[in-house]
């Protein structure tokens, strides 16, 4: 499939929020951009399957979730890295911005669901995704950016400039 430029896509958030520095550091075969309404067809779920079972509920359900995310403005920032030759997604990640009453009515950026296609791991795509999401968090005025990860991924996030702080607690339904 030929590469689809941003101008022909319906994007989750303005592409101007993608760090120009991160863009310039990516290999010219790759493109980083906001998630688009047609990315179900570009392998979004298959990239996410490196994280956990990514059941496909069909394109309509995927699009409906995309629309729900976009209906909360300035809150969900899903981005993807696309391989230009195939127009397929090879990396993805999300920033969620939480608005608080504390910290001078401040905001916190939460990084979620970072995934790089197995064949592309170890080529600095992961760090570029984290840098791009942290940039959005910072230009949006968040006073900190946080995430949860496994022990195995601690060294990766340390390379991205994060430090270990407190504990994660979880209660599954
Ligand atoms: N242990 C030690 N170092 C690591 C690890 C690791 N597990 N992973 C990456 N690094 C290092 C790399 O060697 C590199 O170091 P360098 O700059 O000195 O060369 C640096 O971290 C950057 O690595 P990238 O090449 O950018 O990493 P990659 O593109 O493979 O992305 C990721 C890392 C996202 C963890 C990827 O391997 C992946 O998708 N794994 C499976 C899914 C996953 O675990 N996602 C994260 C879940 S946590 C969350 O979503 C908040």
């Amino acid at each position: 499939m030929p590469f689809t430029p941003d101008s022909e896509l319906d994007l989750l958030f303005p592409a101007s929020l993608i760090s120009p520095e991160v863009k310039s550091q990516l290999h010219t075969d790759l493109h980083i951009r906001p998630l688009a309404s047609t990315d179900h067809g570009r392998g979004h779920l298959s990239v996410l399957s490196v994280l956990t079972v990514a059941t496909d509920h069909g394109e309509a359900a995927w699009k409906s979730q995309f629309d729900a995310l976009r209906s909360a403005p300035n809150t969900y920032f899903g981005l993807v890295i696309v391989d230009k030759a195939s127009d397929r997604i090879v990396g993805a990640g999300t920033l969620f911005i939480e608005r608080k009453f504390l910290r001078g009515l401040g905001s916190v950026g939460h990084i979620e669901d970072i995934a790089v296609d197995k064949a592309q791991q170890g080529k600095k795509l992961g760090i570029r995704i984290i840098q791009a999401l942290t940039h959005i968090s910072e230009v949006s005025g968040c006073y900190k950016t946080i995430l949860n990860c496994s022990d195995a991924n601690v060294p990766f996030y340390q390379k991205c400039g994060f430090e270990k702080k407190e504990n994660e607690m979880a209660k599954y339904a």
Side-chain angles (χ1 to χ4, degrees):
M1 202 159 57
F3 173 65
T4 315
D6 289 3
S7 57
E8 290 174 23
L9 293 167
D10 186 20
L11 301 172
L12 183 59
F13 63 90
S16 55
L17 279 171
I18 304 282
S19 158
E21 195 185 335
V22 171
K23 273 188 167 179
S24 71
Q25 287 169 327
L26 263 192
H27 193 279
T28 50
D29 290 349
L30 301 171
H31 177 64
I32 185 164
R33 61 159 170 79
L35 188 70
S37 62
T38 44
D39 279 344
H40 175 269
R42 294 188 182 83
H44 182 236
L45 288 173
S46 117
V47 169
L48 289 183
S49 72
V50 300
L51 279 163
T52 185
V53 179
T55 308
D56 189 352
H57 297 280
E59 188 170 359
W62 188 97
K63 173 66 168 48
S64 158
Q65 189 75 320
F66 178 91
D67 290 340
L69 297 181
R70 195 164 49 179
S71 71
N74 306 317
T75 304
Y76 293 104
F77 300 87
L79 57 75
V80 291
I81 294 181
V82 177
D83 170 54
K84 288 186 192 167
S86 59
D87 207 35
R88 300 285 294 176
I89 294 171
V90 292
T94 298
L95 174 80
F96 157 68
I97 294 187
E98 171 207 1
R99 299 179 71 104
K100 300 179 85 71
F101 284 101
L102 294 170
R103 304 269 175 188
L105 302 175
S107 297
V108 175
H110 298 261
I111 285 180
E112 289 283 340
D113 298 346
I114 306 302
V116 174
D117 182 71
K118 272 213 159 56
Q120 301 281 345
Q121 287 178 9
K123 299 180 182 175
K124 300 266 194 277
L125 272 61
I127 197 166
R128 299 294 168 241
I129 293 168
I130 297 300
Q131 288 167 336
L133 294 174
T134 308
H135 173 81
I136 297 169
S137 182
E138 290 176 358
V139 299
S140 301
C142 294
Y143 72 91
K144 68 175 176 183
T145 307
I146 57 177
L147 59 88
N148 292 324
C149 71
S150 64
D151 288 347
N153 280 329
V154 167
F156 165 68
Y157 287 110
Q158 284 171 332
K159 288 252 159 98
C160 294
F162 285 68
E163 60 186 66
K164 246 180 136 170
K165 191 112 198 288
E166 299 171 345
N167 300 300
E168 175 193 339
M169 305 285 285
K171 185 170 188 288
Y172 288 83

